[in-house]
Amino acid sequence: MLLSDESRYVAGVMLLTIVTIEFGGWFMTRIVRGQVPMTDFQKAFARAGHAHAGVLVTLGLICQVLADSATLTGVADSVARLGVPAAAILMSGGFFASSAGRGLTQPNRFIWILWLGAAALAAGTLTLGVGLLVA
């Protein structure tokens, strides 16, 4: 199987991000051992941010192969190809940014980043799904 240049580039960059997810896993071990002071809310958002990063990067890699099978062009191709990788950054970043600070027990104003990521995820998966169905 040959990947398009676009898929190879995006997949290559996404694979490089795995190192940051590994670092996040190491940091999570410090959190669960009580070495990083956090509220229960902050711990939950740290877990969610780390989990979303890993799952969405994996899904984003799969989407690159599927995007090569769809017959999309132009903006639709870009949305299908980049929606899930963007969601990986935005959703995990939204969890982290909206829980940053001392003693927080609810999300701060940066929660909008999470919702922007959710929109990117929806746009990417819907566009790719439709593109595959009409191919």
Side-chain angles (χ1 to χ4, degrees):
M1 172 174 65
L2 294 175
L3 293 176
S4 67
D5 289 342
E6 295 86 357
S7 288
R8 281 189 307 100
Y9 180 76
V10 174
V13 170
M14 292 182 73
L15 285 168
L16 294 176
T17 69
I18 298 294
V19 174
T20 64
I21 298 169
E22 286 181 303
F23 175 78
W26 168 79
F27 189 69
M28 284 301 305
T29 65
R30 295 193 65 226
I31 292 171
V32 299
R33 290 183 297 186
Q35 296 174 339
V36 180
M38 290 186 162
T39 65
D40 287 341
F41 156 73
Q42 289 172 312
K43 289 176 187 176
F45 264 45
R47 280 191 300 274
H50 182 65
H52 278 78
V55 168
L56 291 175
V57 164
T58 303
L59 178 60
L61 288 167
I62 294 166
C63 287
Q64 300 315 303
V65 175
L66 295 174
D68 283 349
S69 297
T71 57
L72 298 169
T73 59
V75 173
D77 181 61
S78 295
V79 170
R81 200 174 290 285
L82 300 175
V84 175
I89 296 166
L90 293 167
M91 291 184 81
S92 59
F95 279 113
F96 298 134
S98 67
S99 63
R102 291 190 185 269
L104 292 183
T105 58
Q106 61 184 12
N108 63 30
R109 68 179 185 257
F110 294 112
I111 192 72
W112 67 268
I113 300 169
L114 171 63
W115 301 123
L116 183 60
L121 179 62
T125 55
L126 288 171
T127 303
L128 181 55
V130 169
L132 290 167
L133 290 174
V134 298

